[in-house]
Amino acid sequence: MMRPSFATFAPPAFVLGGASLLVLGNVALAASSPWHVSIFVVSLAGKYLAYAILALALDLVWGYVGILSLGHAAFFALGGYAMGMYLMREIGTRGVYGNATLPDFMVFLNWTELPWYWYGFDHFAFAALMAVLVPGALALVFGFLAFRSRVSGVYLSIITQALTFALMLAFFRNNMGFGGNNGLTDFKDIIGLPLHADGTRDGLLLATALFLSVAFLCARFVVTSRLGKILIAVRDAESRTRFLGYRPESYKLFVFVLSAMIAGIGGALYVPQVGIINPGEFSPANSIEAVIWVAVGGRGTLAGAMLGAVLVNLGKTYFTSALPDVWLYALGALFILTTLFLPQGLIRIFARKPAVTASEIPAAKERPA
């Protein structure tokens, strides 16, 4: 068994340490201090870490199995909607219409009963469970059909993009019961705590950092195990792996479902920190943007995907204020320069070890399970 190395614990330590410093800067330092961290920065950091969870999930399937999913935003958004439904139920009688049973948008649309699929979302534990199970179930059904039919490459990418686009169109419909194009918003509390209080925001940042760390360790355990070697063998030589007696579609399906569940939790942590979830989160552009995070940070490295998500979104925030007219060009230039001069991503600046290649994978020497 491979021993845990510095590379295993360094990213979680950095994430948790950085998040803790931001929280300390917010609660322990006076607002007049130059080192004081505003609650805006805390919430922004929480949002970036939620994006990093999505990037980590995408890197797991793209970097190690070669599945270029252009629809991972769908799993992220489904997790977000599960949490948004719970937060809407938490509003209770404090909504505009004061209806304890129906969310405001349902009252506005003259709905008289709560739809059956909203039952149970008045409990946090149920919503958290759904944030994992719903994306996982969708990935299981989609992946079973796609991998069993041996759909791969650009065809699989197009189908995943069609999946998230179809969900976006469905969630735009008012009769779906998810708020239509306005989505779900005006959240008040989470597990009884005021959502806009500084302490709650600090707690959400720490929770996001903690889950990102756990997800990283889980993903690293998978990719450094014997299972991970088989996954990389599937990525680099699927036909050869099949010839050796493995069933690549089973390995692909397992990782695809695991990745979707991680992305769903990322969405569930994202929504209370940004205060809204709407069908725009299903947009194919969001999925493509996640691919850019992974490519810029370093595909097939896990830590690089997390780094790429944070840096690209940090650049996006900076460029939109400093260069409002040309910020898209600035981000495009960043992507092009990284691709030209750092084809293995920004993480290679800090890592001495080269990227995992097919020659390193002894899968062909392994005995079939």
Side-chain angles (χ1 to χ4, degrees):
M1 177 180 288
M2 183 177 292
R3 293 181 178 179
S5 63
F6 175 77
T8 301
F9 296 106
F14 184 80
V15 169
L16 286 171
S20 300
L21 284 176
L22 288 177
V23 170
L24 279 176
N26 177 254
V27 300
L29 298 176
S32 58
S33 170
W35 300 105
H36 175 76
V37 178
S38 70
I39 201 63
F40 171 76
V41 173
V42 169
S43 298
L44 202 60
K47 186 175 79 168
Y48 292 166
L49 294 188
Y51 283 147
I53 294 172
L54 172 60
L56 180 73
L58 180 62
D59 193 31
L60 193 58
V61 293
W62 184 33
Y64 292 90
V65 200
I67 302 171
L68 177 54
S69 170
L70 296 181
H72 250 53
F75 307 125
F76 185 81
L78 286 174
Y81 265 96
M83 183 55 63
M85 292 165 75
Y86 159 73
L87 295 173
M88 289 297 289
R89 299 288 287 140
E90 278 282 281
I91 294 174
T93 57
R94 292 170 293 172
V96 174
Y97 297 102
N99 193 312
T101 304
L102 299 179
D104 280 343
F105 72 89
M106 290 186 186
V107 178
F108 179 76
L109 294 172
N110 296 321
W111 289 46
T112 57
E113 294 182 358
L114 192 69
W116 63 268
Y117 45 83
W118 276 73
Y119 292 165
F121 280 96
D122 48 343
H123 300 288
F124 176 80
F126 181 81
L129 187 64
M130 289 300 106
V132 178
L133 291 184
V134 173
L138 177 63
L140 180 66
V141 173
F142 177 85
F144 176 78
L145 296 174
F147 302 139
R148 185 169 174 267
S149 303
R150 300 189 183 183
V151 178
S152 61
V154 66
Y155 302 104
L156 183 64
S157 300
I158 292 172
I159 292 175
T160 54
Q161 194 170 48
L163 170 71
T164 194
F165 187 70
L167 284 171
M168 183 183 72
L169 295 180
F171 274 72
F172 265 121
R173 296 166 61 95
N174 283 325
N175 59 8
M176 282 285 288
F178 295 108
N181 61 334
N182 292 320
L184 309 177
T185 187
D186 194 29
F187 308 134
K188 310 288 186 190
D189 297 334
I190 181 169
I191 52 175
L193 301 172
L195 198 56
H196 300 291
D198 286 13
T200 308
R201 295 282 177 172
D202 291 335
L204 285 170
L205 171 61
L206 290 176
T208 310
L210 180 62
F211 179 77
L212 176 59
S213 302
V214 172
F216 172 83
L217 292 175
C218 176
R220 185 164 176 80
F221 173 77
V222 169
V223 302
T224 56
S225 65
R226 181 169 177 268
L227 169 62
K229 294 177 181 178
I230 299 172
L231 295 176
I232 298 174
V234 170
R235 179 194 69 186
D236 293 344
E238 182 171 340
S239 299
R240 187 179 178 188
T241 309
R242 190 186 306 279
F243 177 76
L244 289 172
Y246 295 101
R247 298 186 62 185
E249 57 272 14
S250 299
Y251 293 96
K252 286 181 173 181
L253 184 60
F254 168 75
V255 176
F256 194 65
V257 172
L258 176 64
S259 171
M261 294 167 82
I262 293 174
I265 298 178
L269 290 164
Y270 167 83
V271 168
Q273 298 184 87
V274 300
I276 187 172
I277 177 74
N278 60 40
E281 296 297 337
F282 287 101
S283 168
N286 288 7
S287 295
I288 294 172
E289 199 171 328
V291 171
I292 293 175
W293 303 340
V294 176
V296 169
R299 176 192 170 199
T301 61
L302 297 181
M306 296 158 53
L307 178 68
V310 172
L311 289 183
V312 172
N313 281 288
L314 195 61
K316 187 176 178 180
T317 301
Y318 173 75
F319 289 139
T320 49
S321 60
L323 306 168
D325 296 328
V326 295
W327 67 274
L328 268 177
Y329 298 101
L331 274 181
L334 173 66
F335 178 64
I336 292 171
L337 290 174
T338 304
T339 305
L340 286 176
F341 297 106
L342 290 167
Q344 295 182 338
L346 294 172
I347 195 68
R348 294 303 168 198
I349 297 175
F350 310 102
R352 296 178 181 177
K353 187 178 178 181
V356 178
T357 61
S359 61
E360 286 185 68
I361 311 305
K365 299 177 182 177
E366 300 279 357
R367 291 178 181 276

